[in-house]
Amino acid sequence: MKIRSYLVAVSLVASGGLVTIAAPAQAALTTTCVGEGGAVTVSGALVVPAGASCTLTGTKVKGTVTIEAGADLVAKGVTFSSTVAVGNNAYLDITDSSVKGAVTQQGAFGVHVQNTAANGGISAVDGFLYSVDSTVKGDVRASSGELYISGTTVSGAVTGDANLYTDVYDTTVGKTLTVSANTLGGVLCASEVEGDTAYRNNSDTLQIGGDGPLSSCAQATYLRGDLAVTDNNANAILDNTIVRGKLIASDNSPALQVGELARVRGGITATTTAPSASLARAAKAAPQDRGADLAAKVAERTAQAEAEAAAAGTGL
């Protein structure tokens, strides 16, 4: 009968918040983080266990990162060389960092990515995905939650399906933009889309370029491909946008409203109207950017996670 041996070691972090557990020699190291971690290199995987909080500053992780159910990870100036998985009701806040693998969340509270290079794309199901001033090499896909992107460069496609809303500000999308079945519609403002753009089966309000009821938007939007706005039960307005391809608009209730600053270069196959007076008044009423609500969620959960990690950091 073979006897397994295990090595338990505490990483060289001032807080003592990282505990490394090495399984048998043939297995990779797994580091459990409860508390605070600093500028060390984790050679294997890192796990934030269920219900725990971890903060990392300047840490390098060579293996996968897993944030288990109800756990929090606040990471600043880190380098993650593999994937990051965010579990049910868990939370990831990552700033000034680099992630080489994909970031995925399933049923999470949310993911906040800021000033970060996400080189494997981001995928979210449930919860919010809030990307600010970041670079994503790959696709951004979100469903059944909230999707808000600002100041971000996405080399792949952006897809928002069955979300509460999909809002895109000051962002470059390298491939297609698809927004479908969003309960509160969406905003596209001061952005560029290199592929085709499609809005279909959405409700409430769609603001594609220009000022509108959801947001003030002074800068123009540029769409290199076709724009299709179809089968929406939403107040939809297109303005201050250059569409290099075709405009296709059909089966919208009410009809798509097209403002004076919209320019379509590739022809129009559409049923449209001029903007209504009520929508024009709403555009001047200093609408609230939905990013403010997400920023408040981020600030609250991050502060809670940092406090819990600080409390746990000296207790291991």
Side-chain angles (χ1 to χ4, degrees):
M1 176 177 173
K2 295 182 180 179
I3 300 176
R4 296 184 180 182
S5 62
Y6 293 85
L7 172 65
V8 179
V10 178
S11 297
L12 298 178
V13 182
S15 65
L18 292 174
V19 177
T20 302
I21 302 176
Q26 69 270 21
L29 293 172
T30 298
T31 297
T32 300
C33 181
V34 180
E36 298 175 317
V40 297
T41 296
V42 177
S43 59
L46 183 140
V47 174
V48 184
S53 292
C54 168
T55 61
L56 299 176
T57 304
T59 310
K60 296 181 180 180
V61 181
K62 294 184 177 181
T64 60
V65 176
T66 302
I67 309 167
E68 295 185 341
D72 301 315
L73 174 59
V74 178
K76 301 175 183 179
V78 304
T79 300
F80 293 155
S81 297
S82 188
T83 59
V84 180
V86 188
N88 186 53
N89 197 36
Y91 173 61
L92 170 65
D93 182 289
I94 183 167
T95 59
D96 303 316
S97 298
S98 173
V99 182
K100 294 183 180 179
V103 177
T104 60
Q105 64 124 307
Q106 180 74 43
F109 173 79
V111 170
H112 173 226
V113 179
Q114 185 158 352
N115 295 320
T116 290
N119 294 323
I122 307 175
S123 176
V125 179
D126 293 335
F128 66 79
L129 173 53
Y130 183 25
S131 174
V132 181
D133 297 335
S134 293
T135 301
V136 181
K137 293 184 178 179
D139 297 336
V140 173
R141 299 182 180 276
S143 61
S144 304
E146 301 167 76
L147 176 57
Y148 189 103
I149 308 173
S150 176
T152 295
T153 298
V154 181
S155 67
V158 172
T159 303
D161 180 57
N163 290 319
L164 190 61
Y165 58 82
T166 296
D167 290 353
V168 180
Y169 290 84
D170 190 25
T171 288
T172 299
V173 180
K175 294 183 180 178
T176 58
L177 169 65
T178 305
V179 180
S180 59
N182 283 236
T183 305
L184 298 180
V187 175
L188 180 61
C189 169
S191 296
E192 298 182 19
V193 181
E194 296 299 313
D196 293 338
T197 301
Y199 286 83
R200 57 176 178 262
N201 295 315
N202 298 287
S203 303
D204 200 86
T205 305
L206 295 174
Q207 181 182 326
I208 306 170
D211 290 337
L214 296 177
S215 179
S216 298
C217 185
Q219 295 178 301
T221 289
Y222 180 79
L223 307 180
R224 185 176 292 275
D226 296 339
L227 170 62
V229 183
T230 58
D231 299 296
N232 298 287
N233 291 308
N235 289 312
I237 183 169
L238 169 66
D239 204 0
N240 201 13
T241 298
I242 298 173
V243 182
R244 284 291 303 271
K246 299 187 295 290
L247 170 62
I248 304 160
S250 62
D251 299 315
N252 297 299
S253 180
L256 173 66
Q257 300 172 59
V258 179
E260 295 180 353
L261 297 179
R263 299 288 184 269
V264 180
R265 307 301 191 199
I268 299 176
T269 304
T271 302
T272 64
T273 64
S276 67
S278 61
L279 202 60
R281 287 194 298 271
K284 298 178 181 179
Q288 296 297 312
D289 188 328
R290 288 187 281 224
D293 290 336
L294 279 184
K297 288 183 181 181
V298 165
E300 181 178 5
R301 182 87 175 221
T302 297
Q304 179 182 350
E306 289 175 333
E308 292 177 354
T314 56
L316 295 178

